[in-house]
Amino acid sequence: MPNALSADDSPQPPKVLTTPLEISSNLRQLQESHDPLIITFHERSQRFQSYLIKVDRETATIALDEMIPRDGERFLQAGEPFKVEGFHEGVRIAWECTGTLNIEESEGDRFYTGDLPTEVVYHQRRNAFRAALKLTDLVSVELGGEKLKAPINGKLLDISATGCKLRFEGDITDRLQLGQVYDRMIATPLFGNQPISVELRYLHFEEKLNITFAGLRFHNISGQAARNVERFVYQLQREARRFDKDDL
C-alpha cells in the first residue's frame, strides 16, 4: 500500500514569527475561527482550555476568555509562566507567556488581558494530513471507558494520522474533561470492534447548532490501528484529489 505521507506532505520546519503584524494576523485567525486554545503551566500536567477574544495590534494587547476549568486562575494569579497552543487548519500556533495577565470582568464574563506575544511559533505539520469526511459519509463513533458513566455516540468529522475530530448532538461538555484519556473509542469502519485510547485535546459547544465538537489525539495507538488509520486517510486523500480533478 502506498504511504499516505507523500513527499509533498513531508513535515515542514516550524517558523518563529517576530513582527507584530505577522503575530497579530495569525492570532486573529485563531480568534475569528473560534479555535480552542490549550493552556499548560510549566511543570504542571493539567491542561486548561480558553479562546482568544481580542487581538489589538495598535495597543499590542490580547485578551483570553475564562479558563476551563476555572481553577487554573490560581496559577495565573501566582504569576506562573504558561504555554498557549492552538491549531488553525492544520497549522500549530503556539507561544510562551511569562508576563502577568490581568483578570477582568465585564457583565458577568471573566477574561484575561495582557501583552501581545513577542514571538509565536508557526508550524505547518503536513505529515499529519487531515482528511475531512463528507457529511453524507460520516462514520459513527462510540466514546466510552472507565472515565465515563455511559458511552457517548457521535460522528467522525475528520481524521489524521495523529488524531480526529468528533461531533456530538447537544451539549455534553459537562460529561467530558479536557486532557483526560478515554480508553474506549470504537469506530467500526476504522478499527473493527477493537477499541483505542484517545486524549481529549479540545472541547466546544456550538449553541447555535446544538452540537459539541471534540478534538482527540490517539493515545498509545497500536501498530495495526495506526496502519488502519493510515489506510483510511490515504483513501480519503485519493478521493479528495479525484474530486479536485473533476472540478477542474
Side-chain angles (χ1 to χ4, degrees), residues 206-224:
E206 188 61 55
E207 189 173 357
K208 292 180 180 178
L209 302 174
N210 194 34
I211 289 174
T212 299
F213 295 98
L216 301 154
R217 182 183 294 274
F218 299 135
H219 184 75
N220 294 335
I221 189 170
S222 69
Q224 181 59 52

Side-chain angles (χ1 to χ4, degrees), residues 137-175:
D137 297 333
L138 295 186
V139 172
S140 294
V141 173
E142 179 183 292
L143 187 64
E146 294 182 357
K147 303 296 182 180
L148 287 172
K149 292 181 179 179
I152 308 173
N153 294 311
K155 297 288 186 179
L156 183 70
L157 286 181
D158 62 33
I159 186 169
S160 75
T162 56
C164 60
K165 185 175 182 179
L166 304 183
R167 182 187 82 182
F168 300 94
E169 296 296 328
D171 184 359
I172 62 163
T173 53
D174 60 338
R175 299 174 63 184

